[in-house]
Structures are given as C-alpha cells and as structure tokens.
Amino acid sequence: MSTSSVQLVVWRQSAPDAEGRWETFTVDGSGAPTVQQALESINASPVLANGDTAEPVTLEEGEDFGLNVNGRPARSSEARLDGSEEIVVLEPLSVFPVIRDLTVDRSRFQTDLQEAGALAPTGFDVEALVSDCHRCGLCMEACNDYRRVGDYVGPAVVRVLERSNRAPGGDGLRSERLAILMGDRGIVHDQNTFSYADACPDGADLVQSIGLAKRSSAFQWIQDFFQN
Amino acid sequence: MGADSRNVYAADRWHSLAGVFAACAAICSLHAHSAILLGADAYHAAMVGGGDWLRDADLVLLIEVVLFGFALTHYGVYGFASWWRRGVALPASGTFREWMYTIQGWTGVYLIAYVGHHLVRVWAVVHFEWGGASSGPSPLLDGSIVSLAQHVAAIASAGPFAIGFQALGIFALAFHVSHGLWNFGVNWGVTSGPKAMARSTVACAAVFGVVFVIGMETLAAFVSLGTGGGA
C-alpha cells in the first residue's frame, strides 16, 4: 500500500449514442489529489497505462461536477485519491444521459429546477432559496425513486418547492407548488427509502424537506376532500 | 411540470387508507385467534360464542363484501400493481431503509397469497366443513365430532409445509403492518423529520415484536393442540 501510483479506470464515450469503453490511466497519487486534479493532470498529456496516447477526458465546465467514484456518487473536487484504493473507477452519473466521457445531460433536472424556481415567492429567486444547492445532481443519483420512476422530479426540486412554501410570502403561489408536489411527477413516487439522506455534499437536510413536503401535501389533500 | 393531475397521488392516499382498514382487520383476526392461548373453550367463545354479533348473517355479508371484498382487494391489487410498476425491488444500495422497502414489497406479495388462502379456508370452514354456527362441538361432513379449535388446529398443524406457511404469514403480517405504520406516519406528514422518523422506527419495531410474538404463540398453541399436546 506504500505505492503512490493509482490506476484510474475512466469511462470513455465519444457521443451520446456511441458505445462506451474503459480506459486505464496511471496517475501520481502522492499528496492525495482530488479526482478533478488527477483528471486535469491526465489531460495535460493523455497517455494510457499501457503507453498508448489517448484523447483528453471530457470534463464538465467548472471545477466541480458530479460523477461516480468507485460506484459512489461524489463531486470531482471533493473525492480524493488518498491511497486507500489502488484502482479507482470513474463513471458518469447514471441517472442522466451521457453527453461525452464523464459529462452528462442534466437539462431535465435544470428545467425542473427553473420551473420550481419560477414559483418562488416575490423577493426570492431560486438562488436565494437554495443557495447551498450546487446542481451537482448527486442527490438525484442517490435517489432510488428518481432512478426507478422516469418521471419523478427528484429530491432537489421538491426541496425548492418546499422551501418556497415556508419562505415569507410563500402563501401566494402555494397551490401551484402543491399541484406539482401532488402531481403525476410529484412526491407520490418517493417510497421513503431516503437513499439520498446523506448524499448532499453541502449537508442539505433532504429528509426534512421531503418529510415536510409530504405533510403539506397530505394536509392539502384532506382539506380539498372536505372543502371542494 | 406534470401539475395537471392528482390522480396518482389520490389513488395512493386511498391505498394508504385501505391499508389501515386491512391492518385493523388483520389485528382483529389475530386477536380473536389468540384466544386459543386461553384454551379451546375461550377460543370457541371468541370466534362464535358470546354476543353472537359475528354470526348475524347480514353483518357477515356486509363484512365479507365491504371489508374483504372491497378494502382488502383494493389494497392488494393496487399495492401489487404499483410495486410491479416500480420494478420488482432487489435491495440495490443495501441501506436499512432500502431493505425495509424491499421486504415491505415482498411481504405484501406473500400476504396476498397468505390472506387469500386464509379467507378461502375460513369461508370453507364456516360455511361447509365445520357444522355451521352452532355453539358446541359439531359434526363434520364425515360425521366426526370436533370442536372448532380442534378443527382449526388440524388445519394449522397438517405438516411442516402448513406450519411453515403459517409462520411465514405471521412474520409477513407483523412486518407489513408495523412498517406500513411507519410509512403511514411519513406519508401523512405525522413524522416529517429524521429524529421523528427514528423514534417512529423504535415504536414500530415494538409493534412488530408484539404482533409477531402473539402470532407465533398462537400458532404454537394450535400446533400443540393439533398434534395432541393439548391447548
């Protein structure tokens, strides 16, 4: 275990419909670099472990993106090659379609988030409501129900709606937000496994958000049943 | 964003309420059967004696149609359909909650078979095999005279398969009811935070323990009676 070189096994895919394959690179693990740093050092001179030259690995823009490191969702700037594993497997997030290599198309998530953000109370925008959300998609990756049900909006979006409902002035568009929460893509799909409980690298309390969203939805349903 | 319809959400709420109905029916049934722990006479009194309200033909019909025919069927059919639609669950991440979800699904499937079999068997016993609703030992169709307790004991202890079938059914029932109670708390917003859910887990585990132990003791009493050990 004293060796500082790490075998980085990286998923390569040239296009969304193309067949993918694995490529192995050897990187220097001394100093416990982050996955982001290791990939950037590979891209400086992309050579495979067997000596062949390779294409640079396509990364998402910015210095922070979500991917699977040895099967665990993580952020590229936080997962470290700390020497505990000699072989580290890097895969793109699996709940979003692959664009190229480790980059994925999160447009569905982003569109849903924008729509939810548009229902924010006056004076708030989605940034103010969930300033700790980096749109990395790791909670979606960890959410079994987002994976199981193709339609579910997912925990990050539920959290935005739930935050809006509780923010000052949140009563205004409350029924519109609840319509999404109680709609065909809403929290009915959450099966209480809370597999995303600890998934947020920023420590967002997603369990509490989903729990409160279920509470307000159930109350609304009871109220509608006896009132309408 | 799919805000057009609340049909799925509403269907899920009705399924949840039907589950409460089903759980109450199951607990009442287990409670009545557990009278065997007090002896064959107490069992007989609990099932057919006493106030005789359960033997009122109109009421029995109402219970059969409304409770068994509608609520249980809806609960089972809708539950199975939504479980199937989500994809048959094998524990993916292996977390505690994922295991609970998985076992909840599989115990639900088993309970459809177990409760279905149980209801058909009870129906057969009440209407055909055991000589009707008279209040003493009664002649079977073959002319032999046994008490209701002995008759039920003979069914329950008919062999390792019958005993195993019952034991697994009791486990499935205890699990499905207690974890269903936990789910109910979350889905209706009674327990909405991690700490409340953790407390609810402890309470529901206690419910599991009580139902499972009473169920197994009841089964043991029937097996003992059926194999000649006395009640």
Side-chain angles (χ1 to χ4, degrees), chain B:
Chain B
M1 211 188 303
D4 49 336
S5 164
R6 293 183 180 181
N7 291 345
V8 181
Y9 186 80
D12 224 62
R13 298 280 72 72
W14 288 115
H15 177 246
S16 181
L17 292 173
V20 173
F21 218 31
C24 289
I27 297 298
C28 287
S29 171
L30 177 60
H31 177 248
H33 281 291
S34 70
I36 191 67
L37 295 169
L38 303 174
D41 292 340
Y43 179 73
H44 190 277
M47 299 305 281
V48 294
D52 282 10
W53 64 272
L54 258 179
R55 287 159 57 202
D56 181 298
D58 292 337
L59 195 58
V60 167
L61 187 68
L62 193 71
I63 289 170
E64 283 180 347
V65 171
V66 174
L67 190 63
F68 299 151
F70 182 72
L72 283 185
T73 307
H74 170 76
Y75 183 68
V77 170
Y78 182 88
F80 184 83
S82 75
W83 177 77
W84 186 261
R85 199 173 51 236
R86 285 193 302 273
V88 174
L90 300 169
S93 62
T95 63
F96 174 70
R97 290 269 152 246
E98 185 66 9
W99 273 106
M100 295 294 105
Y101 166 76
T102 305
I103 300 172
Q104 186 76 352
W106 285 104
T107 51
V109 172
Y110 188 81
L111 284 171
I112 291 173
Y114 176 69
V115 174
H117 172 269
H118 182 74
L119 293 180
V120 170
R121 209 72 187 80
V122 168
W123 184 76
V125 168
V126 168
H127 292 288
F128 298 107
E129 294 172 11
W130 189 66
S134 65
S135 56
S138 179
L140 291 176
L141 289 183
D142 65 4
S144 58
I145 307 280
V146 293
S147 72
L148 180 61
Q150 284 167 325
H151 189 55
V152 172
I155 295 168
S157 62
F161 178 80
I163 296 170
F165 181 72
Q166 299 282 345
L168 200 53
I170 289 162
F171 167 79
L173 178 71
F175 186 93
H176 204 85
V177 165
S178 54
H179 186 58
L181 190 64
W182 189 87
N183 271 332
F184 184 92
V186 176
N187 288 336
W188 291 89
V190 180
T191 50
S192 64
K195 284 181 183 168
M197 290 177 197
R199 285 191 285 266
S200 173
T201 302
V202 174
C204 293
V207 171
F208 170 82
V210 169
V211 175
F212 183 68
V213 167
I214 291 177
M216 292 307 277
E217 283 188 345
T218 300
L219 176 60
F222 275 120
V223 171
S224 173
L225 179 65
T227 53

